[in-house]
Amino acid sequence: MKIRSKKGILIVSLLLITSGLVVGCVDKKSEQNANNTNKEQSIQTTKTDYTYENNEYFTSVDWLNKNLKNKDVLIIDARSEEDYNKGHIPGAINVAWQSFCKMEGKSGDKDWGTLLDKEQLSKIYSDLGIDKNKKVIVYAQKSGWGEDGRLAWMFKETGVDVRMLNGGMDSWKSDGNEVSKDKVNPKKSEYTVEEIKKDINIDTKTLKGKMNDVKIIDTREKDEYEGATKYGETRGGHIPKSINIPFNKVYNEDGTIKPKEELEKLFKDAGLNKDDEIVTYCTAGIRSGHMALILKSIGYDNVKNYDASYYEWAGDKTNPVEK
């Protein structure tokens, strides 16, 4: 009986040890799989549900706050110098959209307000400290002109890794994050703009030749669309057949961008389909640059910003306008 008891104990012990090894292996594999899953989830974008956090067009206030001191993050405040001096996100440099554009002459002149060439942009980018490793975050505020969208449109057109801060300065402040009044001077780098992509931009001549093939969105306010000349336009009115969707219709009350479903309804109700070729314009290509990126962010792939916009269109009296 004693021998049988010892054998029984030995068998039970071996079974327990074996079970422990099996369980241990399973637990380790489960833990490893869980870690891999978490790792995969952490680098996934949110293109499916469009929460606008860490996808190819937007990043969140929470993400920026956590990465505020990351040396590979370059923050650009696209607002006016006056607004910047009143308070900005710590570490942000202040850059106006005009810095990147042809500003000789006056509004309405041919090419006024359009992008500089790649050599000139390369120098400006280098002066700002942009390099291949930098993640550029641009922000503005809801009461502005969509300057963050204009800069993000330009950066994407020239190959820079850029995101707009969803909610901008409005959300940054409302979340109780730190605000600074210290002026930040950029650290220079060496950056070369290799090309200016043509697939998200259109000029006046090309637009005139495609009037019957594209859907045109006027992103200005309704009174501008109907003829008001508030910013020195040569003539009032709008480009024929254009649809008026003011750019600020894409915002929630708190300054964040509306969810995908609401944006899709906004554009669908205006008669836009995702397979349409779409052109956006405003007065000088700022609000329309913002709108172009919003459209792209929800799957309208064939959209171009007419950056010369209504200034140039109205300035050439051979171009027709409607009221």
Side-chain angles (χ1 to χ4, degrees):
M1 293 294 291
K2 289 182 180 179
I3 292 173
R4 287 180 181 175
S5 297
K6 286 181 179 179
K7 282 184 177 179
I9 292 169
L10 181 60
I11 291 168
V12 171
S13 298
L14 287 170
L15 286 171
L16 288 171
I17 291 168
T18 305
S19 299
L21 288 172
V22 173
V23 171
C25 289
V26 172
D27 287 344
K28 285 181 181 178
K29 286 181 179 178
S30 298
E31 183 180 355
Q32 187 176 8
N33 289 337
N35 289 337
N36 289 338
T37 300
N38 290 335
K39 188 175 181 181
E40 289 171 2
Q41 287 176 345
S42 70
I43 62 173
Q44 286 178 343
T45 63
T46 52
K47 290 183 181 179
T48 302
D49 58 11
Y50 270 85
T51 58
Y52 298 116
E53 183 169 336
N54 304 327
N55 59 49
E56 62 182 302
Y57 293 93
F58 297 93
T59 196
S60 66
V61 165
D62 182 58
W63 183 92
L64 182 57
N65 198 23
K66 290 174 182 176
N67 288 272
L68 203 56
K69 299 187 183 301
N70 186 333
K71 63 182 179 60
D72 291 329
V73 173
L74 177 65
I75 309 168
I76 294 180
D77 185 318
R79 301 174 302 159
S80 68
E81 185 178 7
E82 181 182 0
D83 286 331
Y84 177 81
N85 290 336
K86 288 177 182 178
H88 53 265
I89 295 174
I93 59 175
N94 184 217
V95 189
W97 66 269
Q98 292 94 332
S99 305
F100 309 97
C101 299
K102 301 169 186 175
M103 303 303 294
E104 298 84 5
K106 64 183 186 304
S107 60
D109 290 347
K110 189 178 185 317
D111 293 333
W112 186 92
T114 60
L115 284 185
L116 296 167
D117 61 38
K118 61 183 182 180
E119 288 75 24
Q120 291 170 303
L121 289 175
S122 294
K123 183 182 185 309
I124 297 169
Y125 286 9
S126 297
D127 288 343
L128 293 176
I130 294 172
D131 63 44
K132 297 293 183 183
N133 298 317
K134 287 285 191 297
K135 297 175 178 64
V136 177
I137 309 299
V138 296
Y139 73 90
Q141 59 195 25
K142 184 183 176 184
S143 61
W145 294 88
E147 298 94 341
D148 52 344
R150 163 70 182 219
L151 291 196
W153 164 79
M154 175 198 67
F155 283 136
K156 282 190 175 294
E157 190 173 18
T158 51
V160 175
D161 183 8
V162 65
R163 305 289 187 279
M164 285 185 281
L165 180 64
N166 190 20
M169 196 63 188
D170 304 272
S171 291
W172 183 265
K173 290 169 69 175
S174 65
D175 284 1
N177 294 309
E178 180 184 356
V179 173
S180 173
K181 291 187 178 180
D182 297 333
K183 184 176 181 180
V184 179
N185 294 314
K187 296 179 181 178
K188 292 187 178 183
S189 64
E190 292 292 331
Y191 189 92
T192 300
V193 176
E194 296 176 357
E195 68 169 330
I196 298 178
K197 300 174 185 176
K198 299 300 181 186
D199 61 339
I200 59 173
N201 187 45
I202 193 167
D203 59 26
T204 302
K205 182 180 179 181
T206 306
L207 177 58
K208 286 179 73 172
K210 302 187 75 170
M211 294 289 287
N212 295 322
D213 303 319
V214 298
K215 289 186 178 177
I216 307 170
I217 303 176
D218 184 321
T219 67
R220 301 174 299 164
E221 295 296 329
K222 184 181 179 183
D223 62 339
E224 297 172 80
Y225 179 79
E226 293 177 344
T229 53
K230 302 191 289 188
Y231 308 108
E233 302 91 329
T234 304
R235 294 178 289 164
H238 56 265
I239 296 175
K241 300 181 180 180
S242 59
I243 305 163
N244 184 218
I245 310 176
F247 94 102
N248 51 23
K249 295 292 185 184
V250 306
Y251 289 117
N252 291 310
E253 285 298 319
D254 63 358
T256 55
I257 301 299
K258 289 179 178 178
K260 181 185 178 184
E261 293 75 17
E262 290 185 39
L263 292 175
E264 286 182 330
K265 185 179 187 307
L266 172 68
F267 297 128
K268 185 177 180 180
D269 288 350
L272 301 175
N273 299 306
K274 289 189 176 180
D275 57 354
D276 290 331
E277 182 175 359
I278 298 169
V279 172
T280 60
Y281 80 93
C282 58
T283 313
I286 315 307
R287 292 173 280 182
S288 55
H290 187 281
M291 179 74 86
L293 283 195
I294 297 298
L295 283 159
K296 281 183 173 289
S297 76
I298 59 169
Y300 287 81
D301 296 327
N302 195 5
V303 56
K304 298 175 177 65
N305 179 27
Y306 174 36
D307 60 339
S309 268
Y310 195 71
Y311 269 145
E312 184 170 309
W313 186 272
D316 181 350
K317 294 187 178 179
T318 66
N319 296 329
V321 298
E322 292 179 348
K323 290 185 181 179

